mmCIF file of all heavy atoms in Angstrom:
data_model
loop_
_atom_site.group_PDB
_atom_site.id
_atom_site.type_symbol
_atom_site.label_atom_id
_atom_site.label_comp_id
_atom_site.label_asym_id
_atom_site.label_seq_id
_atom_site.Cartn_x
_atom_site.Cartn_y
_atom_site.Cartn_z
ATOM 1 N N GLY A 1 -73.463 -3.093 -10.173
ATOM 2 C CA GLY A 1 -74.419 -2.446 -11.065
ATOM 3 C C GLY A 1 -75.570 -3.319 -11.501
ATOM 4 O O GLY A 1 -76.532 -2.819 -12.093
ATOM 5 N N GLY A 2 -75.479 -4.607 -11.248
ATOM 6 C CA GLY A 2 -76.526 -5.521 -11.695
ATOM 7 C C GLY A 2 -77.675 -5.698 -10.727
ATOM 8 O O GLY A 2 -78.631 -6.427 -11.039
ATOM 9 N N TRP A 3 -77.614 -5.038 -9.559
ATOM 10 C CA TRP A 3 -78.645 -5.254 -8.538
ATOM 11 C C TRP A 3 -79.086 -3.926 -7.929
ATOM 12 O O TRP A 3 -78.272 -3.041 -7.672
ATOM 13 C CB TRP A 3 -78.104 -6.158 -7.422
ATOM 14 C CG TRP A 3 -77.904 -7.563 -7.889
ATOM 15 C CD1 TRP A 3 -76.811 -8.073 -8.537
ATOM 16 C CD2 TRP A 3 -78.857 -8.610 -7.803
ATOM 17 N NE1 TRP A 3 -77.007 -9.391 -8.847
ATOM 18 C CE2 TRP A 3 -78.261 -9.759 -8.413
ATOM 19 C CE3 TRP A 3 -80.135 -8.711 -7.264
ATOM 20 C CZ2 TRP A 3 -78.928 -10.971 -8.498
ATOM 21 C CZ3 TRP A 3 -80.792 -9.927 -7.338
ATOM 22 C CH2 TRP A 3 -80.178 -11.042 -7.952
ATOM 23 N N ARG A 4 -80.377 -3.792 -7.693
ATOM 24 C CA ARG A 4 -80.913 -2.657 -6.955
ATOM 25 C C ARG A 4 -81.617 -3.178 -5.703
ATOM 26 O O ARG A 4 -82.083 -4.326 -5.662
ATOM 27 C CB ARG A 4 -81.862 -1.828 -7.813
ATOM 28 C CG ARG A 4 -83.089 -2.549 -8.331
ATOM 29 C CD ARG A 4 -83.994 -1.614 -9.129
ATOM 30 N NE ARG A 4 -85.187 -2.288 -9.635
ATOM 31 C CZ ARG A 4 -85.284 -2.855 -10.837
ATOM 32 N NH1 ARG A 4 -84.264 -2.816 -11.669
ATOM 33 N NH2 ARG A 4 -86.414 -3.450 -11.189
ATOM 34 N N GLU A 5 -81.716 -2.313 -4.704
ATOM 35 C CA GLU A 5 -82.246 -2.740 -3.404
ATOM 36 C C GLU A 5 -83.735 -3.036 -3.447
ATOM 37 O O GLU A 5 -84.226 -3.903 -2.729
ATOM 38 C CB GLU A 5 -81.967 -1.671 -2.353
ATOM 39 C CG GLU A 5 -80.487 -1.530 -2.015
ATOM 40 C CD GLU A 5 -80.259 -0.524 -0.900
ATOM 41 O OE1 GLU A 5 -81.236 0.167 -0.510
ATOM 42 O OE2 GLU A 5 -79.116 -0.442 -0.421
ATOM 43 N N ARG A 6 -84.470 -2.279 -4.262
ATOM 44 C CA ARG A 6 -85.918 -2.437 -4.316
ATOM 45 C C ARG A 6 -86.413 -1.845 -5.627
ATOM 46 O O ARG A 6 -85.636 -1.287 -6.396
ATOM 47 C CB ARG A 6 -86.592 -1.735 -3.135
ATOM 48 C CG ARG A 6 -86.310 -0.240 -3.055
ATOM 49 C CD ARG A 6 -86.969 0.387 -1.852
ATOM 50 N NE ARG A 6 -86.808 1.834 -1.846
ATOM 51 C CZ ARG A 6 -87.442 2.659 -1.020
ATOM 52 N NH1 ARG A 6 -88.275 2.142 -0.121
ATOM 53 N NH2 ARG A 6 -87.255 3.949 -1.058
ATOM 54 N N SER A 7 -87.704 -1.958 -5.864
ATOM 55 C CA SER A 7 -88.288 -1.455 -7.107
ATOM 56 C C SER A 7 -89.595 -0.741 -6.824
ATOM 57 O O SER A 7 -90.331 -1.098 -5.895
ATOM 58 C CB SER A 7 -88.558 -2.602 -8.091
ATOM 59 O OG SER A 7 -87.382 -3.311 -8.392
ATOM 60 N N MET A 8 -89.893 0.266 -7.646
ATOM 61 C CA MET A 8 -91.206 0.892 -7.611
ATOM 62 C C MET A 8 -92.251 -0.072 -8.164
ATOM 63 O O MET A 8 -91.954 -0.885 -9.034
ATOM 64 C CB MET A 8 -91.221 2.155 -8.469
ATOM 65 C CG MET A 8 -90.422 3.303 -7.913
ATOM 66 S SD MET A 8 -90.441 4.719 -9.061
ATOM 67 C CE MET A 8 -92.199 5.086 -9.114
ATOM 68 N N VAL A 9 -93.451 0.028 -7.656
ATOM 69 C CA VAL A 9 -94.595 -0.689 -8.218
ATOM 70 C C VAL A 9 -95.576 0.368 -8.693
ATOM 71 O O VAL A 9 -96.169 1.090 -7.894
ATOM 72 C CB VAL A 9 -95.259 -1.618 -7.187
ATOM 73 C CG1 VAL A 9 -96.452 -2.329 -7.809
ATOM 74 C CG2 VAL A 9 -94.243 -2.617 -6.656
ATOM 75 N N GLY A 10 -95.728 0.482 -9.985
ATOM 76 C CA GLY A 10 -96.552 1.550 -10.526
ATOM 77 C C GLY A 10 -95.786 2.861 -10.547
ATOM 78 O O GLY A 10 -94.559 2.892 -10.473
ATOM 79 N N TYR A 11 -96.527 3.968 -10.591
ATOM 80 C CA TYR A 11 -95.899 5.286 -10.680
ATOM 81 C C TYR A 11 -95.541 5.831 -9.304
ATOM 82 O O TYR A 11 -96.054 5.385 -8.281
ATOM 83 C CB TYR A 11 -96.814 6.253 -11.426
ATOM 84 C CG TYR A 11 -96.622 6.171 -12.911
ATOM 85 C CD1 TYR A 11 -97.485 5.427 -13.699
ATOM 86 C CD2 TYR A 11 -95.546 6.803 -13.522
ATOM 87 C CE1 TYR A 11 -97.299 5.344 -15.064
ATOM 88 C CE2 TYR A 11 -95.340 6.718 -14.877
ATOM 89 C CZ TYR A 11 -96.221 5.991 -15.648
ATOM 90 O OH TYR A 11 -96.032 5.891 -16.996
ATOM 91 N N ARG A 12 -94.644 6.820 -9.317
ATOM 92 C CA ARG A 12 -94.118 7.381 -8.074
ATOM 93 C C ARG A 12 -95.239 7.870 -7.144
ATOM 94 O O ARG A 12 -95.136 7.733 -5.923
ATOM 95 C CB ARG A 12 -93.159 8.521 -8.427
ATOM 96 C CG ARG A 12 -92.391 9.080 -7.239
ATOM 97 C CD ARG A 12 -91.336 10.077 -7.690
ATOM 98 N NE ARG A 12 -90.231 9.394 -8.364
ATOM 99 C CZ ARG A 12 -90.069 9.350 -9.692
ATOM 100 N NH1 ARG A 12 -90.932 9.951 -10.485
ATOM 101 N NH2 ARG A 12 -89.044 8.721 -10.226
ATOM 102 N N ALA A 13 -96.303 8.423 -7.713
ATOM 103 C CA ALA A 13 -97.391 8.970 -6.903
ATOM 104 C C ALA A 13 -98.063 7.911 -6.037
ATOM 105 O O ALA A 13 -98.673 8.228 -5.019
ATOM 106 C CB ALA A 13 -98.426 9.633 -7.804
ATOM 107 N N ALA A 14 -97.969 6.648 -6.433
ATOM 108 C CA ALA A 14 -98.592 5.582 -5.643
ATOM 109 C C ALA A 14 -97.865 5.350 -4.338
ATOM 110 O O ALA A 14 -98.444 4.869 -3.363
ATOM 111 C CB ALA A 14 -98.641 4.292 -6.461
ATOM 112 N N GLY A 15 -96.561 5.659 -4.311
ATOM 113 C CA GLY A 15 -95.789 5.461 -3.098
ATOM 114 C C GLY A 15 -95.601 4.010 -2.713
ATOM 115 O O GLY A 15 -95.391 3.677 -1.541
ATOM 116 N N VAL A 16 -95.635 3.105 -3.692
ATOM 117 C CA VAL A 16 -95.546 1.670 -3.410
ATOM 118 C C VAL A 16 -94.163 1.160 -3.814
ATOM 119 O O VAL A 16 -93.682 1.427 -4.916
ATOM 120 C CB VAL A 16 -96.641 0.887 -4.165
ATOM 121 C CG1 VAL A 16 -96.507 -0.611 -3.896
ATOM 122 C CG2 VAL A 16 -98.020 1.380 -3.757
ATOM 123 N N ARG A 17 -93.512 0.426 -2.920
ATOM 124 C CA ARG A 17 -92.235 -0.226 -3.200
ATOM 125 C C ARG A 17 -92.355 -1.693 -2.801
ATOM 126 O O ARG A 17 -93.052 -2.027 -1.836
ATOM 127 C CB ARG A 17 -91.088 0.409 -2.408
ATOM 128 C CG ARG A 17 -90.859 1.893 -2.681
ATOM 129 C CD ARG A 17 -90.305 2.104 -4.083
ATOM 130 N NE ARG A 17 -89.877 3.478 -4.320
ATOM 131 C CZ ARG A 17 -90.666 4.467 -4.682
ATOM 132 N NH1 ARG A 17 -91.973 4.232 -4.833
ATOM 133 N NH2 ARG A 17 -90.196 5.679 -4.898
ATOM 134 N N ASP A 18 -91.673 -2.567 -3.526
ATOM 135 C CA ASP A 18 -91.787 -3.987 -3.172
ATOM 136 C C ASP A 18 -90.729 -4.421 -2.162
ATOM 137 O O ASP A 18 -90.825 -5.494 -1.582
ATOM 138 C CB ASP A 18 -91.740 -4.867 -4.422
ATOM 139 C CG ASP A 18 -90.399 -4.796 -5.152
ATOM 140 O OD1 ASP A 18 -89.436 -4.210 -4.626
ATOM 141 O OD2 ASP A 18 -90.329 -5.342 -6.266
ATOM 142 N N ASP A 19 -89.670 -3.587 -1.982
ATOM 143 C CA ASP A 19 -88.626 -3.847 -0.985
ATOM 144 C C ASP A 19 -87.963 -5.210 -1.165
ATOM 145 O O ASP A 19 -87.504 -5.817 -0.187
ATOM 146 C CB ASP A 19 -89.187 -3.714 0.443
ATOM 147 C CG ASP A 19 -89.509 -2.268 0.780
ATOM 148 O OD1 ASP A 19 -88.771 -1.372 0.316
ATOM 149 O OD2 ASP A 19 -90.487 -2.023 1.500
ATOM 150 N N ARG A 20 -87.893 -5.672 -2.413
ATOM 151 C CA ARG A 20 -87.144 -6.895 -2.725
ATOM 152 C C ARG A 20 -85.961 -6.522 -3.604
ATOM 153 O O ARG A 20 -86.129 -5.808 -4.589
ATOM 154 C CB ARG A 20 -88.011 -7.897 -3.471
ATOM 155 C CG ARG A 20 -89.159 -8.489 -2.691
ATOM 156 C CD ARG A 20 -89.919 -9.466 -3.562
ATOM 157 N NE ARG A 20 -90.422 -8.813 -4.775
ATOM 158 C CZ ARG A 20 -90.863 -9.455 -5.853
ATOM 159 N NH1 ARG A 20 -90.853 -10.767 -5.880
ATOM 160 N NH2 ARG A 20 -91.322 -8.785 -6.900
ATOM 161 N N PRO A 21 -84.765 -6.997 -3.295
ATOM 162 C CA PRO A 21 -83.652 -6.773 -4.230
ATOM 163 C C PRO A 21 -83.978 -7.391 -5.595
ATOM 164 O O PRO A 21 -84.622 -8.448 -5.676
ATOM 165 C CB PRO A 21 -82.473 -7.499 -3.562
ATOM 166 C CG PRO A 21 -82.846 -7.584 -2.126
ATOM 167 C CD PRO A 21 -84.343 -7.728 -2.096
ATOM 168 N N HIS A 22 -83.566 -6.719 -6.646
ATOM 169 C CA HIS A 22 -83.822 -7.233 -7.991
ATOM 170 C C HIS A 22 -82.572 -7.091 -8.829
ATOM 171 O O HIS A 22 -81.888 -6.073 -8.790
ATOM 172 C CB HIS A 22 -84.964 -6.480 -8.675
ATOM 173 C CG HIS A 22 -85.230 -6.975 -10.071
ATOM 174 N ND1 HIS A 22 -86.054 -8.053 -10.328
ATOM 175 C CD2 HIS A 22 -84.733 -6.588 -11.269
ATOM 176 C CE1 HIS A 22 -86.066 -8.291 -11.627
ATOM 177 N NE2 HIS A 22 -85.272 -7.415 -12.230
ATOM 178 N N GLY A 23 -82.277 -8.126 -9.611
ATOM 179 C CA GLY A 23 -81.121 -8.041 -10.491
ATOM 180 C C GLY A 23 -80.862 -9.312 -11.248
ATOM 181 O O GLY A 23 -81.707 -10.209 -11.328
ATOM 182 N N GLY A 24 -79.668 -9.369 -11.813
ATOM 183 C CA GLY A 24 -79.246 -10.487 -12.637
ATOM 184 C C GLY A 24 -78.499 -9.958 -13.847
ATOM 185 O O GLY A 24 -78.528 -8.761 -14.142
ATOM 186 N N TYR A 25 -77.788 -10.852 -14.509
ATOM 187 C CA TYR A 25 -77.084 -10.450 -15.718
ATOM 188 C C TYR A 25 -76.851 -11.674 -16.584
ATOM 189 O O TYR A 25 -77.038 -12.819 -16.160
ATOM 190 C CB TYR A 25 -75.760 -9.755 -15.381
ATOM 191 C CG TYR A 25 -74.679 -10.663 -14.822
ATOM 192 C CD1 TYR A 25 -73.708 -11.232 -15.663
ATOM 193 C CD2 TYR A 25 -74.604 -10.955 -13.458
ATOM 194 C CE1 TYR A 25 -72.720 -12.063 -15.160
ATOM 195 C CE2 TYR A 25 -73.623 -11.782 -12.946
ATOM 196 C CZ TYR A 25 -72.675 -12.338 -13.797
ATOM 197 O OH TYR A 25 -71.696 -13.159 -13.293
ATOM 198 N N TYR A 26 -76.439 -11.400 -17.832
ATOM 199 C CA TYR A 26 -76.113 -12.467 -18.770
ATOM 200 C C TYR A 26 -74.605 -12.562 -18.916
ATOM 201 O O TYR A 26 -73.928 -11.543 -19.107
ATOM 202 C CB TYR A 26 -76.731 -12.182 -20.148
ATOM 203 C CG TYR A 26 -78.203 -11.888 -20.104
ATOM 204 C CD1 TYR A 26 -78.663 -10.585 -20.242
ATOM 205 C CD2 TYR A 26 -79.140 -12.899 -19.893
ATOM 206 C CE1 TYR A 26 -80.017 -10.290 -20.199
ATOM 207 C CE2 TYR A 26 -80.497 -12.614 -19.845
ATOM 208 C CZ TYR A 26 -80.926 -11.309 -19.991
ATOM 209 O OH TYR A 26 -82.275 -11.033 -19.927
ATOM 210 N N THR A 27 -74.082 -13.779 -18.819
ATOM 211 C CA THR A 27 -72.672 -13.960 -19.147
ATOM 212 C C THR A 27 -72.495 -13.778 -20.655
ATOM 213 O O THR A 27 -73.461 -13.846 -21.427
ATOM 214 C CB THR A 27 -72.172 -15.338 -18.740
ATOM 215 O OG1 THR A 27 -72.801 -16.336 -19.583
ATOM 216 C CG2 THR A 27 -72.485 -15.647 -17.279
ATOM 217 N N GLN A 28 -71.281 -13.574 -21.064
ATOM 218 C CA GLN A 28 -71.036 -13.447 -22.495
ATOM 219 C C GLN A 28 -71.397 -14.725 -23.235
ATOM 220 O O GLN A 28 -71.926 -14.671 -24.357
ATOM 221 C CB GLN A 28 -69.583 -13.048 -22.745
ATOM 222 C CG GLN A 28 -69.288 -11.641 -22.254
ATOM 223 C CD GLN A 28 -67.905 -11.145 -22.640
ATOM 224 O OE1 GLN A 28 -67.194 -11.769 -23.434
ATOM 225 N NE2 GLN A 28 -67.510 -10.010 -22.076
ATOM 226 N N ASP A 29 -71.187 -15.875 -22.603
ATOM 227 C CA ASP A 29 -71.597 -17.124 -23.256
ATOM 228 C C ASP A 29 -73.115 -17.258 -23.320
ATOM 229 O O ASP A 29 -73.650 -17.822 -24.289
ATOM 230 C CB ASP A 29 -70.979 -18.327 -22.528
ATOM 231 C CG ASP A 29 -69.518 -18.537 -22.892
ATOM 232 O OD1 ASP A 29 -69.047 -17.918 -23.870
ATOM 233 O OD2 ASP A 29 -68.839 -19.302 -22.190
ATOM 234 N N ASP A 30 -73.821 -16.757 -22.316
ATOM 235 C CA ASP A 30 -75.286 -16.725 -22.399
ATOM 236 C C ASP A 30 -75.724 -15.986 -23.659
ATOM 237 O O ASP A 30 -76.608 -16.437 -24.406
ATOM 238 C CB ASP A 30 -75.891 -16.001 -21.190
ATOM 239 C CG ASP A 30 -75.811 -16.788 -19.904
ATOM 240 O OD1 ASP A 30 -75.655 -18.024 -19.961
ATOM 241 O OD2 ASP A 30 -75.907 -16.158 -18.832
ATOM 242 N N LEU A 31 -75.113 -14.841 -23.884
ATOM 243 C CA LEU A 31 -75.524 -14.004 -25.010
ATOM 244 C C LEU A 31 -75.043 -14.571 -26.331
ATOM 245 O O LEU A 31 -75.713 -14.409 -27.358
ATOM 246 C CB LEU A 31 -75.024 -12.577 -24.799
ATOM 247 C CG LEU A 31 -75.706 -11.881 -23.612
ATOM 248 C CD1 LEU A 31 -75.016 -10.575 -23.279
ATOM 249 C CD2 LEU A 31 -77.189 -11.653 -23.882
ATOM 250 N N ARG A 32 -73.915 -15.254 -26.343
ATOM 251 C CA ARG A 32 -73.498 -15.951 -27.568
ATOM 252 C C ARG A 32 -74.514 -17.037 -27.927
ATOM 253 O O ARG A 32 -74.834 -17.240 -29.102
ATOM 254 C CB ARG A 32 -72.100 -16.550 -27.394
ATOM 255 C CG ARG A 32 -70.982 -15.522 -27.370
ATOM 256 C CD ARG A 32 -69.609 -16.182 -27.404
ATOM 257 N NE ARG A 32 -68.565 -15.179 -27.445
ATOM 258 C CZ ARG A 32 -67.898 -14.736 -26.370
ATOM 259 N NH1 ARG A 32 -68.191 -15.237 -25.164
ATOM 260 N NH2 ARG A 32 -66.982 -13.808 -26.489
#
């Protein structure tokens, strides 16, 4: 759940995708 395959750039009508996986998360100690 922490990663998606790609991201939109701007609004859907632009039809632009960056095609880079994006994600990351914080460990509980990070948040502490």
Side-chain angles (χ1 to χ4, degrees):
W3 290 85
R4 61 178 180 267
E5 291 184 352
R6 59 182 186 170
S7 302
M8 290 177 61
V9 179
Y11 274 99
R12 188 173 289 102
V16 178
R17 300 290 189 276
D18 65 9
D19 290 325
R20 293 180 302 165
H22 179 85
Y25 71 95
Y26 308 104
T27 68
Q28 292 187 10
D29 282 347
D30 288 339
L31 293 170
R32 288 188 177 97

